[in-house]
Amino acid sequence: MKILVIGGSGFIGSHIVDAAVTAGHRVRVFDRAQPKFHALPAQVHFMSGSFSDTAMLSEAVSDVDVVVHSLSTTVPGTSNLNPVADIDGNLIGTVQLLEIMRAMNAKRLIFLSSGGTVYGIPKTDPVTEDHPLRPINSYGIVKTAIEQYLHMERHLHGLDYAVLRPSNPYGPRQGHGGVQGVIGTYLWNLARGEQIQLWGDGSVVRDFLHVEDLASLTMLAIDQGLSGCFNAGSGAGHSIRDVIKCIGQVVGKELDPAIHPARRIDVPRIVLDIGKVQNATGWSPTISLSDGVARTWQWVSQQSNETSP
């Protein structure tokens, strides 16, 4: 198949690109710039453009079998700082993408939503896909709205789509700006000799999924024609204190975080039920938290050494 990965230069998208190339698919990437942390495989067709540029996006969508939408201009921790920009960059951009796909007769879309934010504060543990969608930050609200537009597009125009709701992806190529992903942020802090930061008492629980497991699930969604909404997580919860302990074991020292007041945007606990996607595809995550942290630390250390003066 010919696959377009929108956001294919990013953290998650670049791993999806690698998995698609390995599987023998033809791949086109649409993103603002080439990947920061690695080179795209030589056979990948790269197109540079803004998500808001409908002319360039139309060209990117032409003659592809599947569109994978992994792009986001915000992250959960920053989306509330400018909700208007979140809506403009992500919701409006995706609605424009749907209009372009309809015009180009592109019928298949895989959308990366957010299992960590669309449910809000869970009423059940673990959380299944039929849990009410009650997000408490702009990031989750926009992802939820996009899901609703996909439903409308299928009802009115026959769009064939699958929504994957990842929990908390982490792994190599995650940015080091300190706003995307607690594991990556902590590891980059340590590589630079900085103290890690902890908001609250560390009891917040998250479901951490290694990005390579997410990429493999995305490929199954493509290859098996998955349709509907599916959680994508590890199925297990780890507190931030657990993560700090795990990282300390990997790097070989006890960590002493700087403590800050808890944030209202942080859901106290969320663990995803992944039974639906396991039954539908046979997929299960294969990389444990300790192994995943070790792999990520190896990559961060290598990157840090390469960029040191």
Side-chain angles (χ1 to χ4, degrees):
M1 283 186 281
K2 190 167 187 178
I3 300 171
L4 169 64
V5 183
I6 299 174
S9 294
F11 164 50
I12 295 173
S14 66
H15 286 276
I16 294 172
V17 168
D18 287 350
V21 169
T22 299
H25 296 294
R26 292 174 295 156
V27 181
R28 176 182 294 158
V29 166
F30 182 80
D31 212 325
R32 282 184 175 272
Q34 291 272 356
K36 182 176 182 179
F37 294 116
H38 79 298
L40 286 172
Q43 62 267 53
V44 171
H45 175 206
F46 176 77
M47 293 183 62
S48 176
S50 168
F51 194 39
S52 62
D53 187 337
T54 55
M56 285 295 297
L57 193 57
S58 296
E59 185 178 342
V61 170
S62 65
D63 74 353
V64 299
D65 300 302
V66 182
V67 176
V68 178
H69 180 5
S70 67
L71 178 72
S72 179
T73 62
T74 60
V75 296
T78 64
S79 61
N80 282 12
L81 299 177
N82 193 343
V84 173
D86 191 16
I87 294 166
D88 185 45
N90 295 298
L91 178 56
I92 293 176
T94 303
V95 173
Q96 289 175 334
L97 169 65
L98 295 177
E99 292 175 346
I100 289 168
M101 290 182 64
R102 191 189 319 142
M104 306 293 289
N105 199 33
K107 294 290 190 180
R108 179 79 173 136
L109 176 69
I110 310 295
F111 174 60
L112 276 292
S113 184
S114 171
T117 64
V118 297
Y119 299 114
I121 300 175
K123 305 297 183 184
T124 59
D125 186 22
V127 180
T128 57
E129 289 85 353
D130 57 1
H131 185 284
L133 304 183
R134 295 173 180 167
I136 61 172
N137 62 27
S138 180
Y139 186 87
I141 291 170
V142 168
K143 291 287 192 183
T144 300
I146 290 172
E147 290 191 20
Q148 295 302 314
Y149 271 102
L150 298 184
H151 174 74
M152 181 186 77
E153 195 70 15
R154 178 173 62 188
H155 179 72
L156 296 180
H157 304 291
L159 177 71
D160 181 15
Y161 73 86
V163 170
L164 300 180
R165 294 173 176 166
S167 51
N168 288 76
Y170 73 98
R173 305 177 195 164
Q174 197 162 27
H176 54 77
V179 295
Q180 183 186 24
V182 65
I183 292 176
T185 297
Y186 282 173
L187 293 177
W188 278 104
N189 288 154
L190 293 170
R192 293 189 292 242
E194 301 167 353
Q195 187 177 22
I196 67 172
Q197 312 296 307
L198 176 62
W199 280 263
D201 61 3
S203 62
V204 165
V205 171
R206 293 290 180 267
D207 182 340
F208 295 97
L209 178 66
H210 194 275
V211 67
E212 291 178 15
D213 279 327
L214 177 55
S216 69
L217 174 57
T218 305
M219 293 314 304
L220 285 175
I222 293 171
D223 294 337
Q224 297 185 11
L226 201 63
S227 181
C229 295
F230 299 86
N231 286 338
S234 70
H238 297 276
S239 72
I240 303 304
R241 283 289 184 187
D242 290 338
V243 169
I244 292 173
K245 181 178 180 181
C246 178
I247 291 175
Q249 292 171 342
V250 167
V251 303
K253 65 178 181 180
E254 187 172 345
L255 305 184
D256 181 27
I259 309 296
H260 304 279
R263 304 180 298 187
R264 292 182 62 85
I265 62 169
D266 289 329
V267 173
R269 175 185 174 91
I270 184 160
V271 179
L272 301 183
D273 186 313
I274 56 174
K276 181 180 177 182
V277 77
Q278 287 177 310
N279 291 334
T281 66
W283 171 87
S284 285
T286 61
I287 302 173
S288 67
L289 182 65
S290 57
D291 186 24
V293 168
R295 294 189 194 187
T296 309
W297 175 240
Q298 182 180 27
W299 177 83
V300 168
S301 299
Q302 180 183 6
Q303 293 295 314
S304 182
N305 290 335
E306 290 177 357
T307 57
S308 297

